[in-house]
Amino acid sequence: VRTDIQLARVRSRTGEEMASDFERQRATAEDRLGAIVRAPGDVAALARASLDGAVGSLRLDDAGAPVDPPSADDKTLLEHALCRVMFGLIEDASARATAVMSHVASGGGAKKAATDKKAGATNAANEPSMPRLLDLALTLSETGVVEPACVFNALEQLLETCTIADCEDVFTWVEARRGRLSADALWRRGKLVMLRTCNELQRRLSKTADTVLRGRVLLLLSSLYPLSERSALNLGGNYNAGNVTELDGRDAEGDDAQAQAGTQASDANAEAEGVVVDRAFYETFWSLQKFFSNPPAALEPTGGWKTFARALGSVLDNFETHRLDKTSAGRAVTTVTTVTGGGDEHRGTAAANIEGTTAGTKYLTAAPLLHLQLRDPAFRRHFLVQCAVFLGFCTAPCLYKGVDAKGALDAKKRVMEAIRHTPPHGEEFAAAVALALRREEGWVLWKRDNCKDFEREPEAPRAGAAAP
Protein backbone atom coordinates (compact mmCIF):
# COMPACT_ATOMS: atom_id res chain seq x y z
CA VAL A 1 0.00 0.00 0.00
CA ARG A 2 2.83 2.40 0.91
CA THR A 3 4.50 1.71 -2.44
CA ASP A 4 1.25 2.47 -4.30
CA ILE A 5 0.90 5.77 -2.42
CA GLN A 6 4.47 6.73 -3.27
CA LEU A 7 3.91 5.89 -6.96
CA ALA A 8 0.74 7.98 -6.99
CA ARG A 9 2.61 10.94 -5.49
CA VAL A 10 5.39 10.60 -8.08
CA ARG A 11 2.83 10.49 -10.88
CA SER A 12 1.04 13.51 -9.46
CA ARG A 13 4.27 15.51 -9.28
CA THR A 14 5.22 14.39 -12.78
CA GLY A 15 1.82 15.47 -14.11
CA GLU A 16 2.10 18.82 -12.39
CA GLU A 17 5.58 19.33 -13.81
CA MET A 18 4.37 18.46 -17.31
CA ALA A 19 1.39 20.81 -16.98
CA SER A 20 3.57 23.63 -15.68
CA ASP A 21 6.08 23.02 -18.49
CA PHE A 22 3.27 23.18 -21.05
CA GLU A 23 1.92 26.39 -19.53
CA ARG A 24 5.39 27.90 -19.47
CA GLN A 25 6.01 27.11 -23.14
CA ARG A 26 2.51 28.23 -24.04
CA ALA A 27 3.01 31.55 -22.28
CA THR A 28 6.32 32.04 -24.10
CA ALA A 29 4.72 31.27 -27.46
CA GLU A 30 1.75 33.51 -26.66
CA ASP A 31 4.04 36.42 -25.79
CA ARG A 32 6.01 36.03 -29.00
CA LEU A 33 2.90 35.70 -31.17
CA GLY A 34 1.39 38.76 -29.53
CA ALA A 35 4.59 40.72 -30.11
CA ILE A 36 4.51 39.77 -33.82
CA VAL A 37 0.93 41.00 -34.13
CA ARG A 38 1.63 44.31 -32.39
CA ALA A 39 4.98 45.06 -34.02
CA PRO A 40 5.25 46.87 -37.37
CA GLY A 41 6.73 45.09 -40.33
CA ASP A 42 6.23 41.98 -42.42
CA VAL A 43 4.47 39.22 -40.49
CA ALA A 44 6.39 36.40 -42.19
CA ALA A 45 9.79 37.95 -41.43
CA LEU A 46 8.84 38.66 -37.82
CA ALA A 47 7.58 35.09 -37.37
CA ARG A 48 10.78 33.67 -38.81
CA ALA A 49 12.91 35.68 -36.36
CA SER A 50 10.69 35.36 -33.28
CA LEU A 51 9.45 31.77 -33.37
CA ASP A 52 12.79 30.08 -34.03
CA GLY A 53 13.35 27.98 -30.90
CA ALA A 54 10.20 29.30 -29.22
CA VAL A 55 8.80 25.87 -28.36
CA GLY A 56 10.33 22.43 -28.08
CA SER A 57 12.81 21.68 -30.83
CA LEU A 58 11.27 24.07 -33.37
CA ARG A 59 13.95 25.44 -35.69
CA LEU A 60 13.14 27.53 -38.77
CA ASP A 61 15.16 27.98 -41.96
CA ASP A 62 15.61 31.19 -43.92
CA ALA A 63 12.22 30.70 -45.63
CA GLY A 64 10.41 30.34 -42.30
CA ALA A 65 9.77 26.61 -42.72
CA PRO A 66 10.70 24.09 -40.00
CA VAL A 67 14.10 22.44 -40.45
CA ASP A 68 12.59 19.25 -38.98
CA PRO A 69 8.85 18.50 -38.89
CA PRO A 70 7.45 19.81 -35.58
CA SER A 71 5.89 17.31 -33.23
CA ALA A 72 2.12 17.14 -32.81
CA ASP A 73 2.49 18.56 -29.28
CA ASP A 74 4.43 21.57 -30.55
CA LYS A 75 1.82 22.28 -33.22
CA THR A 76 -0.99 21.97 -30.70
CA LEU A 77 0.81 24.30 -28.30
CA LEU A 78 1.31 26.97 -30.97
CA GLU A 79 -2.30 26.72 -32.15
CA HIS A 80 -3.52 27.02 -28.57
CA ALA A 81 -1.34 30.10 -28.02
CA LEU A 82 -2.55 31.61 -31.30
CA CYS A 83 -6.19 31.18 -30.23
CA ARG A 84 -5.49 32.81 -26.87
CA VAL A 85 -3.94 35.82 -28.62
CA MET A 86 -6.97 36.03 -30.91
CA PHE A 87 -9.46 35.98 -28.05
CA GLY A 88 -7.37 38.53 -26.22
CA LEU A 89 -7.68 40.85 -29.22
CA ILE A 90 -11.45 40.30 -29.27
CA GLU A 91 -11.66 41.15 -25.56
CA ASP A 92 -9.47 44.22 -26.11
CA ALA A 93 -11.67 45.42 -29.00
CA SER A 94 -14.80 44.90 -26.91
CA ALA A 95 -13.34 46.92 -24.04
CA ARG A 96 -12.57 49.77 -26.42
CA ALA A 97 -15.92 49.45 -28.24
CA THR A 98 -14.19 49.22 -31.63
CA ALA A 99 -14.68 46.93 -34.62
CA VAL A 100 -12.66 43.72 -34.33
CA MET A 101 -10.96 44.01 -37.73
CA SER A 102 -10.03 47.69 -37.31
CA HIS A 103 -8.89 47.52 -33.69
CA VAL A 104 -5.23 48.30 -32.93
CA ALA A 105 -3.97 46.23 -29.99
CA SER A 106 -2.45 48.01 -27.03
CA GLY A 107 -1.26 44.95 -25.17
CA GLY A 108 -2.07 43.92 -21.61
CA GLY A 109 -5.64 42.72 -21.99
CA ALA A 110 -8.95 44.36 -21.18
CA LYS A 111 -7.82 46.20 -18.02
CA LYS A 112 -4.91 47.87 -19.76
CA ALA A 113 -7.16 48.58 -22.76
CA ALA A 114 -9.52 50.54 -20.52
CA THR A 115 -6.56 52.48 -19.06
CA ASP A 116 -5.12 53.19 -22.51
CA LYS A 117 -8.50 54.35 -23.72
CA LYS A 118 -8.64 57.00 -21.00
CA ALA A 119 -5.06 58.06 -21.71
CA GLY A 120 -5.55 58.06 -25.46
CA ALA A 121 -2.75 55.55 -26.07
CA THR A 122 -2.36 53.90 -29.48
CA ASN A 123 -0.10 51.31 -31.04
CA ALA A 124 2.96 52.77 -32.69
CA ALA A 125 2.37 50.61 -35.72
CA ASN A 126 -1.18 51.99 -36.03
CA GLU A 127 -2.13 48.92 -38.06
CA PRO A 128 -5.21 46.77 -37.27
CA SER A 129 -4.14 43.76 -35.23
CA MET A 130 -6.69 41.09 -36.17
CA PRO A 131 -5.82 41.07 -39.90
CA ARG A 132 -2.16 40.69 -38.89
CA LEU A 133 -3.06 37.77 -36.63
CA LEU A 134 -4.97 36.07 -39.44
CA ASP A 135 -2.05 36.69 -41.80
CA LEU A 136 0.23 35.13 -39.19
CA ALA A 137 -2.03 32.06 -38.89
CA LEU A 138 -2.08 31.76 -42.68
CA THR A 139 1.71 32.03 -42.92
CA LEU A 140 2.29 29.43 -40.20
CA SER A 141 -0.19 27.08 -41.90
CA GLU A 142 1.56 27.51 -45.26
CA THR A 143 5.06 26.89 -43.90
CA GLY A 144 4.05 23.82 -41.86
CA VAL A 145 4.78 25.30 -38.43
CA VAL A 146 1.18 24.44 -37.48
CA GLU A 147 -1.43 22.20 -39.07
CA PRO A 148 -2.72 23.35 -42.51
CA ALA A 149 -6.24 23.66 -41.09
CA CYS A 150 -5.13 26.07 -38.34
CA VAL A 151 -6.08 29.22 -40.25
CA PHE A 152 -9.50 27.76 -41.07
CA ASN A 153 -10.10 26.86 -37.43
CA ALA A 154 -9.12 30.38 -36.40
CA LEU A 155 -11.55 31.86 -38.92
CA GLU A 156 -14.34 29.61 -37.66
CA GLN A 157 -13.81 30.61 -34.04
CA LEU A 158 -13.50 34.30 -34.95
CA LEU A 159 -16.72 34.38 -36.98
CA GLU A 160 -18.58 32.59 -34.19
CA THR A 161 -17.73 35.39 -31.76
CA CYS A 162 -18.26 38.36 -34.11
CA THR A 163 -21.30 40.49 -34.78
CA ILE A 164 -22.72 40.54 -38.32
CA ALA A 165 -20.96 43.84 -39.04
CA ASP A 166 -17.63 42.38 -37.90
CA CYS A 167 -18.28 39.19 -39.87
CA GLU A 168 -18.52 41.29 -43.02
CA ASP A 169 -15.05 42.74 -42.33
CA VAL A 170 -13.63 39.28 -41.61
CA PHE A 171 -15.13 38.00 -44.83
CA THR A 172 -13.43 40.82 -46.74
CA TRP A 173 -10.11 39.46 -45.45
CA VAL A 174 -11.09 35.95 -46.59
CA GLU A 175 -11.94 37.18 -50.09
CA ALA A 176 -8.61 39.01 -50.35
CA ARG A 177 -6.68 35.83 -49.35
CA ARG A 178 -8.77 33.44 -51.43
CA GLY A 179 -5.86 32.43 -53.65
CA ARG A 180 -3.65 31.44 -50.73
CA LEU A 181 -6.45 29.72 -48.83
CA SER A 182 -7.33 27.60 -51.87
CA ALA A 183 -3.78 26.28 -52.29
CA ASP A 184 -3.87 22.49 -52.44
CA ALA A 185 -1.77 21.90 -49.31
CA LEU A 186 -4.14 23.96 -47.17
CA TRP A 187 -7.44 23.36 -48.93
CA ARG A 188 -7.34 19.56 -48.67
CA ARG A 189 -7.22 19.82 -44.87
CA GLY A 190 -9.43 22.86 -44.38
CA LYS A 191 -12.21 22.67 -46.97
CA LEU A 192 -14.69 20.94 -44.65
CA VAL A 193 -14.01 23.50 -41.90
CA MET A 194 -14.54 26.32 -44.41
CA LEU A 195 -17.78 24.80 -45.64
CA ARG A 196 -19.07 24.42 -42.08
CA THR A 197 -18.04 28.00 -41.26
CA CYS A 198 -19.81 29.46 -44.30
CA ASN A 199 -22.95 27.42 -43.70
CA GLU A 200 -23.10 28.54 -40.09
CA LEU A 201 -22.64 32.16 -41.15
CA GLN A 202 -25.43 31.78 -43.71
CA ARG A 203 -27.77 30.54 -40.98
CA ARG A 204 -27.05 33.67 -38.93
CA LEU A 205 -27.63 36.11 -41.78
CA SER A 206 -31.05 37.56 -42.53
CA LYS A 207 -32.52 36.67 -45.91
CA THR A 208 -33.80 40.23 -46.33
CA ALA A 209 -31.37 42.51 -44.47
CA ASP A 210 -28.07 40.72 -45.23
CA THR A 211 -28.58 39.67 -48.84
CA VAL A 212 -25.31 41.20 -50.06
CA LEU A 213 -23.16 39.30 -47.55
CA ARG A 214 -25.13 36.09 -48.20
CA GLY A 215 -24.40 36.51 -51.90
CA ARG A 216 -20.70 37.08 -51.20
CA VAL A 217 -20.57 33.88 -49.15
CA LEU A 218 -22.18 31.89 -51.96
CA LEU A 219 -19.87 33.42 -54.58
CA LEU A 220 -16.83 32.53 -52.47
CA LEU A 221 -17.98 28.93 -52.06
CA SER A 222 -18.68 28.64 -55.78
CA SER A 223 -15.15 29.85 -56.55
CA LEU A 224 -13.47 27.57 -54.01
CA TYR A 225 -15.32 24.35 -54.78
CA PRO A 226 -15.44 22.70 -58.22
CA LEU A 227 -18.62 22.91 -60.28
CA SER A 228 -19.16 19.19 -59.88
CA GLU A 229 -19.01 19.35 -56.06
CA ARG A 230 -22.17 17.47 -55.07
CA SER A 231 -22.42 18.81 -51.51
CA ALA A 232 -23.87 22.07 -52.84
CA LEU A 233 -26.43 20.47 -55.13
CA ASN A 234 -30.14 20.23 -54.43
CA LEU A 235 -30.28 16.68 -55.73
CA GLY A 236 -33.69 16.04 -54.18
CA GLY A 237 -35.25 19.00 -55.95
CA ASN A 238 -36.58 20.44 -52.68
CA TYR A 239 -38.37 23.80 -52.63
CA ASN A 240 -38.63 26.45 -49.96
CA ALA A 241 -42.18 25.58 -48.96
CA GLY A 242 -41.82 27.73 -45.85
CA ASN A 243 -42.02 30.91 -47.94
CA VAL A 244 -45.78 31.39 -47.55
CA THR A 245 -47.62 34.43 -48.89
CA GLU A 246 -50.52 35.38 -46.62
CA LEU A 247 -53.40 37.37 -48.10
CA ASP A 248 -55.06 40.33 -46.46
CA GLY A 249 -58.57 39.25 -45.52
CA ARG A 250 -59.80 42.27 -43.57
CA ASP A 251 -62.11 43.73 -46.19
CA ALA A 252 -63.34 40.28 -47.24
CA GLU A 253 -64.59 39.46 -43.75
CA GLY A 254 -66.63 42.69 -43.51
CA ASP A 255 -66.28 42.98 -39.71
CA ASP A 256 -64.06 46.05 -39.79
CA ALA A 257 -66.01 48.99 -41.17
CA GLN A 258 -63.08 51.37 -41.06
CA ALA A 259 -60.80 49.01 -42.97
CA GLN A 260 -63.54 48.38 -45.53
CA ALA A 261 -64.12 52.11 -46.00
CA GLY A 262 -60.37 52.62 -46.45
CA THR A 263 -60.19 49.86 -49.02
CA GLN A 264 -63.12 51.33 -50.97
CA ALA A 265 -61.48 54.75 -50.94
CA SER A 266 -58.23 53.18 -52.10
CA ASP A 267 -60.02 51.38 -54.94
CA ALA A 268 -61.64 54.67 -55.97
CA ASN A 269 -58.24 56.37 -56.08
CA ALA A 270 -56.82 53.49 -58.09
CA GLU A 271 -59.60 53.76 -60.68
CA ALA A 272 -59.02 57.52 -60.90
CA GLU A 273 -55.32 56.85 -61.61
CA GLY A 274 -56.16 54.34 -64.33
CA VAL A 275 -55.18 51.17 -62.44
CA VAL A 276 -58.08 48.81 -61.89
CA VAL A 277 -57.61 46.75 -58.71
CA ASP A 278 -60.53 44.97 -57.09
CA ARG A 279 -60.70 42.16 -54.59
CA ALA A 280 -60.86 39.50 -57.30
CA PHE A 281 -57.73 40.83 -59.05
CA TYR A 282 -55.94 41.14 -55.70
CA GLU A 283 -56.55 37.46 -54.91
CA THR A 284 -55.66 36.44 -58.45
CA PHE A 285 -52.37 38.33 -58.39
CA TRP A 286 -51.09 37.01 -55.07
CA SER A 287 -52.36 33.46 -55.68
CA LEU A 288 -49.57 33.04 -58.26
CA GLN A 289 -46.98 32.97 -55.47
CA LYS A 290 -47.97 29.43 -54.48
CA PHE A 291 -46.90 28.26 -57.95
CA PHE A 292 -43.54 29.99 -57.61
CA SER A 293 -42.78 28.70 -54.09
CA ASN A 294 -43.63 25.04 -54.73
CA PRO A 295 -44.34 24.34 -58.43
CA PRO A 296 -44.93 20.56 -58.26
CA ALA A 297 -47.46 20.80 -55.43
CA ALA A 298 -49.37 23.55 -57.25
CA LEU A 299 -49.21 22.13 -60.78
CA GLU A 300 -49.67 18.39 -60.36
CA PRO A 301 -53.28 18.46 -59.11
CA THR A 302 -55.88 18.24 -61.86
CA GLY A 303 -56.37 21.62 -63.49
CA GLY A 304 -53.31 23.13 -61.79
CA TRP A 305 -51.76 24.44 -65.01
CA LYS A 306 -55.07 25.84 -66.27
CA THR A 307 -55.53 27.71 -62.99
CA PHE A 308 -52.06 29.20 -63.30
CA ALA A 309 -52.52 30.12 -66.95
CA ARG A 310 -55.82 31.92 -66.27
CA ALA A 311 -54.38 33.87 -63.34
CA LEU A 312 -51.21 34.84 -65.23
CA GLY A 313 -53.22 35.86 -68.28
CA SER A 314 -55.40 38.14 -66.15
CA VAL A 315 -52.36 39.84 -64.61
CA LEU A 316 -50.59 40.27 -67.96
CA ASP A 317 -53.76 41.75 -69.46
CA ASN A 318 -53.72 44.34 -66.66
CA PHE A 319 -50.03 45.09 -67.25
CA GLU A 320 -50.52 45.46 -70.99
CA THR A 321 -53.52 47.73 -70.52
CA HIS A 322 -51.75 49.94 -67.97
CA ARG A 323 -48.17 50.08 -69.19
CA LEU A 324 -45.63 52.22 -67.38
CA ASP A 325 -43.83 55.07 -69.11
CA LYS A 326 -40.40 56.58 -68.50
CA THR A 327 -41.77 58.95 -65.88
CA SER A 328 -43.08 56.10 -63.71
CA ALA A 329 -39.75 55.75 -61.92
CA GLY A 330 -39.82 59.42 -60.97
CA ARG A 331 -43.40 59.20 -59.75
CA ALA A 332 -42.53 56.13 -57.66
CA VAL A 333 -39.61 57.99 -56.07
CA THR A 334 -41.91 60.93 -55.28
CA THR A 335 -44.48 58.59 -53.73
CA VAL A 336 -41.91 56.84 -51.56
CA THR A 337 -40.35 60.14 -50.49
CA THR A 338 -43.76 61.55 -49.58
CA VAL A 339 -44.70 58.48 -47.55
CA THR A 340 -41.38 58.30 -45.68
CA GLY A 341 -41.16 62.08 -45.24
CA GLY A 342 -37.42 61.95 -45.99
CA GLY A 343 -35.08 64.25 -47.82
CA ASP A 344 -32.25 63.53 -50.21
CA GLU A 345 -31.17 60.38 -48.37
CA HIS A 346 -34.62 58.76 -48.63
CA ARG A 347 -34.95 59.92 -52.21
CA GLY A 348 -31.62 58.29 -53.10
CA THR A 349 -32.72 55.03 -51.45
CA ALA A 350 -35.98 55.04 -53.38
CA ALA A 351 -34.17 55.70 -56.65
CA ALA A 352 -31.84 52.77 -55.93
CA ASN A 353 -34.87 50.55 -55.36
CA ILE A 354 -36.33 51.58 -58.73
CA GLU A 355 -33.09 50.72 -60.50
CA GLY A 356 -33.21 47.26 -58.90
CA THR A 357 -29.84 47.58 -57.15
CA THR A 358 -31.27 46.34 -53.87
CA ALA A 359 -32.23 42.73 -53.31
CA GLY A 360 -34.11 40.49 -50.94
CA THR A 361 -37.40 42.37 -51.02
CA LYS A 362 -40.48 40.64 -49.67
CA TYR A 363 -43.38 42.92 -50.44
CA LEU A 364 -46.35 43.54 -48.19
CA THR A 365 -49.63 41.95 -49.28
CA ALA A 366 -52.02 44.51 -47.79
CA ALA A 367 -54.92 44.98 -50.21
CA PRO A 368 -54.89 48.82 -50.19
CA LEU A 369 -51.24 48.81 -51.34
CA LEU A 370 -51.57 46.80 -54.51
CA HIS A 371 -52.61 49.65 -56.80
CA LEU A 372 -49.52 51.60 -55.65
CA GLN A 373 -47.28 48.57 -56.05
CA LEU A 374 -48.46 48.02 -59.62
CA ARG A 375 -47.25 51.53 -60.49
CA ASP A 376 -43.77 50.71 -59.16
CA PRO A 377 -41.42 49.50 -61.95
CA ALA A 378 -39.25 47.58 -59.47
CA PHE A 379 -42.31 45.71 -58.16
CA ARG A 380 -43.37 44.76 -61.69
CA ARG A 381 -39.88 43.60 -62.54
CA HIS A 382 -39.66 41.39 -59.47
CA PHE A 383 -42.94 39.75 -60.36
CA LEU A 384 -42.19 39.38 -64.08
CA VAL A 385 -38.79 37.84 -63.41
CA GLN A 386 -40.50 35.32 -61.13
CA CYS A 387 -42.83 34.47 -64.00
CA ALA A 388 -39.97 34.20 -66.50
CA VAL A 389 -37.95 31.85 -64.28
CA PHE A 390 -40.99 29.69 -63.53
CA LEU A 391 -42.01 29.46 -67.20
CA GLY A 392 -38.41 28.72 -68.15
CA PHE A 393 -38.57 25.62 -65.99
CA CYS A 394 -42.02 24.76 -67.34
CA THR A 395 -40.63 24.70 -70.88
CA ALA A 396 -37.65 22.54 -69.88
CA PRO A 397 -37.99 18.87 -70.90
CA CYS A 398 -39.39 16.38 -68.41
CA LEU A 399 -39.52 18.70 -65.44
CA TYR A 400 -43.09 19.41 -64.34
CA LYS A 401 -46.12 17.25 -65.01
CA GLY A 402 -49.36 18.50 -66.49
CA VAL A 403 -47.83 21.56 -68.18
CA ASP A 404 -49.03 22.66 -71.61
CA ALA A 405 -45.69 23.15 -73.38
CA LYS A 406 -47.08 25.38 -76.13
CA GLY A 407 -49.08 27.45 -73.65
CA ALA A 408 -46.01 27.85 -71.43
CA LEU A 409 -43.94 29.02 -74.39
CA ASP A 410 -46.57 31.58 -75.43
CA ALA A 411 -46.88 32.84 -71.84
CA LYS A 412 -43.11 33.17 -71.60
CA LYS A 413 -43.07 35.34 -74.73
CA ARG A 414 -45.73 37.63 -73.23
CA VAL A 415 -43.77 37.90 -69.98
CA MET A 416 -40.55 38.81 -71.79
CA GLU A 417 -42.42 41.42 -73.82
CA ALA A 418 -43.82 42.90 -70.60
CA ILE A 419 -40.28 43.06 -69.16
CA ARG A 420 -39.08 44.92 -72.26
CA HIS A 421 -41.84 47.51 -71.79
CA THR A 422 -41.04 48.07 -68.09
CA PRO A 423 -38.80 51.12 -67.55
CA PRO A 424 -36.06 51.97 -66.97
CA HIS A 425 -33.77 50.23 -69.52
CA GLY A 426 -36.35 47.59 -70.32
CA GLU A 427 -34.59 46.20 -73.40
CA GLU A 428 -31.25 45.76 -71.61
CA PHE A 429 -32.88 44.19 -68.59
CA ALA A 430 -34.89 41.75 -70.76
CA ALA A 431 -31.70 40.73 -72.59
CA ALA A 432 -29.98 40.00 -69.26
CA VAL A 433 -32.95 37.90 -68.09
CA ALA A 434 -33.01 35.96 -71.37
CA LEU A 435 -29.28 35.21 -71.06
CA ALA A 436 -29.72 33.95 -67.50
CA LEU A 437 -32.58 31.69 -68.57
CA ARG A 438 -30.54 30.22 -71.43
CA ARG A 439 -27.74 29.39 -69.04
CA GLU A 440 -30.21 27.90 -66.60
CA GLU A 441 -31.43 25.51 -69.29
CA GLY A 442 -27.92 24.05 -69.44
CA TRP A 443 -27.88 23.52 -65.69
CA VAL A 444 -31.28 21.83 -65.82
CA LEU A 445 -29.99 19.34 -68.41
CA TRP A 446 -26.82 18.79 -66.38
CA LYS A 447 -28.81 17.92 -63.25
CA ARG A 448 -31.15 15.71 -65.27
CA ASP A 449 -28.09 13.75 -66.47
CA ASN A 450 -27.04 13.07 -62.87
CA CYS A 451 -24.51 15.92 -62.59
CA LYS A 452 -21.63 14.52 -64.62
CA ASP A 453 -18.17 15.80 -63.77
CA PHE A 454 -16.89 18.74 -65.79
CA GLU A 455 -13.26 17.75 -65.33
CA ARG A 456 -11.87 15.47 -68.02
CA GLU A 457 -8.69 13.45 -68.01
CA PRO A 458 -6.19 14.46 -70.69
CA GLU A 459 -6.48 12.31 -73.77
CA ALA A 460 -3.56 10.15 -74.85
CA PRO A 461 -1.75 11.44 -77.95
CA ARG A 462 -2.79 9.77 -81.16
CA ALA A 463 -0.34 7.48 -82.90
CA GLY A 464 1.73 9.38 -85.47
CA ALA A 465 0.48 12.78 -84.30
CA ALA A 466 3.05 15.56 -84.42
CA ALA A 467 4.25 16.96 -81.12
CA PRO A 468 2.91 20.45 -80.34
Side-chain angles (χ1 to χ4, degrees):
V1 174
R2 184 177 302 172
T3 303
D4 292 340
I5 295 175
Q6 292 174 344
L7 286 175
R9 290 175 177 174
V10 170
R11 290 170 182 166
S12 177
R13 286 196 299 269
T14 303
E16 290 175 357
E17 292 173 358
M18 292 177 62
S20 61
D21 184 59
F22 176 86
E23 289 298 323
R24 184 167 54 252
Q25 292 190 60
R26 192 268 305 157
T28 301
E30 186 176 342
D31 290 340
R32 296 197 183 190
L33 292 171
I36 294 172
V37 170
R38 291 188 294 272
D42 180 61
V43 168
L46 292 171
R48 184 169 59 251
S50 181
L51 295 181
D52 187 23
V55 294
S57 58
L58 179 64
R59 296 293 181 272
L60 304 180
D61 58 20
D62 293 337
V67 176
D68 297 317
S71 65
D73 290 340
D74 290 344
K75 289 183 177 181
T76 301
L77 188 147
L78 280 173
E79 292 178 16
H80 182 61
L82 195 67
C83 287
R84 287 179 63 90
V85 174
M86 181 180 70
F87 286 114
L89 291 176
I90 296 173
E91 182 183 4
D92 198 4
S94 177
R96 288 174 174 264
T98 57
V100 171
M101 293 299 284
S102 60
H103 168 66
V104 179
S106 60
K111 293 184 179 179
K112 188 174 186 303
T115 305
D116 291 342
K117 184 178 181 181
K118 296 179 181 178
T122 58
N123 188 349
N126 200 28
E127 185 177 354
S129 301
M130 189 61 75
R132 289 180 61 82
L133 178 96
L134 294 176
D135 286 335
L136 176 60
L138 178 56
T139 299
L140 297 181
S141 297
E142 289 174 329
T143 55
V145 176
V146 295
E147 291 293 337
C150 174
V151 62
F152 298 99
N153 292 328
L155 283 171
E156 182 181 26
Q157 295 178 42
L158 177 59
L159 288 170
E160 286 178 350
T161 59
C162 283
T163 63
I164 297 300
D166 286 332
C167 285
E168 189 170 358
D169 295 335
V170 175
F171 205 78
T172 300
W173 182 92
V174 175
E175 291 172 326
R177 308 300 191 277
R178 182 181 63 185
R180 295 171 64 184
L181 291 171
S182 60
D184 187 61
L186 268 64
W187 188 243
R188 283 187 290 108
R189 298 291 300 275
K191 62 181 181 179
L192 294 180
V193 179
M194 192 65 182
L195 179 61
R196 182 174 66 240
T197 302
C198 290
N199 287 339
E200 184 60 33
L201 179 58
Q202 286 279 62
R203 279 190 285 270
R204 290 177 58 191
L205 297 176
S206 168
K207 293 183 179 180
T208 55
D210 304 313
T211 51
V212 174
L213 184 53
R214 288 176 64 88
R216 289 169 60 188
V217 173
L218 293 176
L219 286 174
L220 178 72
L221 290 176
S222 65
S223 65
L224 291 175
Y225 290 87
L227 289 174
S228 54
E229 173 64 39
R230 297 174 68 87
S231 63
L233 299 178
N234 183 13
L235 297 177
N238 299 319
Y239 294 88
N240 182 17
N243 184 17
V244 179
T245 301
E246 298 181 358
L247 299 185
D248 183 2
R250 290 175 299 173
D251 59 333
E253 295 174 0
D255 56 352
D256 191 339
Q258 185 177 359
Q260 188 172 0
T263 303
Q264 291 173 354
S266 177
D267 292 343
N269 293 334
E271 292 177 3
E273 294 165 357
V275 182
V276 179
V277 178
D278 55 13
R279 182 65 191 183
F281 180 81
Y282 166 81
E283 293 180 351
T284 299
F285 180 86
W286 288 113
S287 67
L288 290 170
Q289 293 300 316
K290 67 180 180 182
F291 294 93
F292 302 149
S293 63
N294 195 347
L299 287 176
E300 290 183 2
T302 304
W305 169 256
K306 292 182 179 179
T307 302
F308 170 80
R310 283 195 302 269
L312 179 60
S314 175
V315 175
L316 294 178
D317 289 342
N318 187 293
F319 284 8
E320 292 168 357
T321 303
H322 306 287
R323 284 181 175 172
L324 302 177
D325 53 28
K326 293 182 180 180
T327 62
S328 299
R331 289 200 304 267
V333 171
T334 303
T335 301
V336 173
T337 306
T338 302
V339 172
T340 58
D344 293 338
E345 181 180 355
H346 289 86
R347 188 174 294 107
T349 304
N353 288 336
I354 296 303
E355 291 291 338
T357 55
T358 58
T361 304
K362 185 172 177 63
Y363 289 98
L364 299 175
T365 58
L369 293 178
L370 184 57
H371 78 278
L372 295 174
Q373 292 169 329
L374 294 178
R375 295 168 53 202
D376 181 4
F379 180 83
R380 285 203 184 192
R381 273 186 174 173
H382 276 88
F383 172 77
L384 290 171
V385 170
Q386 279 185 307
C387 296
V389 172
F390 175 79
L391 292 169
F393 279 87
C394 287
T395 55
C398 305
L399 193 60
Y400 297 142
K401 298 179 181 179
V403 174
D404 180 4
K406 183 178 181 305
L409 188 59
D410 293 341
K412 183 179 177 182
K413 292 179 180 178
R414 288 188 67 186
V415 168
M416 295 304 297
E417 186 67 20
I419 293 176
R420 276 189 285 271
H421 284 90
T422 303
H425 314 300
E427 292 287 346
E428 294 87 343
F429 189 81
V433 172
L435 176 61
L437 293 178
R438 285 196 299 271
R439 290 178 175 175
E440 194 63 27
E441 290 176 1
W443 291 113
V444 170
L445 295 176
W446 175 66
K447 285 188 175 182
R448 189 191 64 177
D449 295 337
N450 200 25
C451 309
K452 295 181 179 179
D453 291 342
F454 286 91
E455 296 82 3
R456 295 178 58 184
E457 295 295 331
E459 296 182 358
R462 297 178 182 178

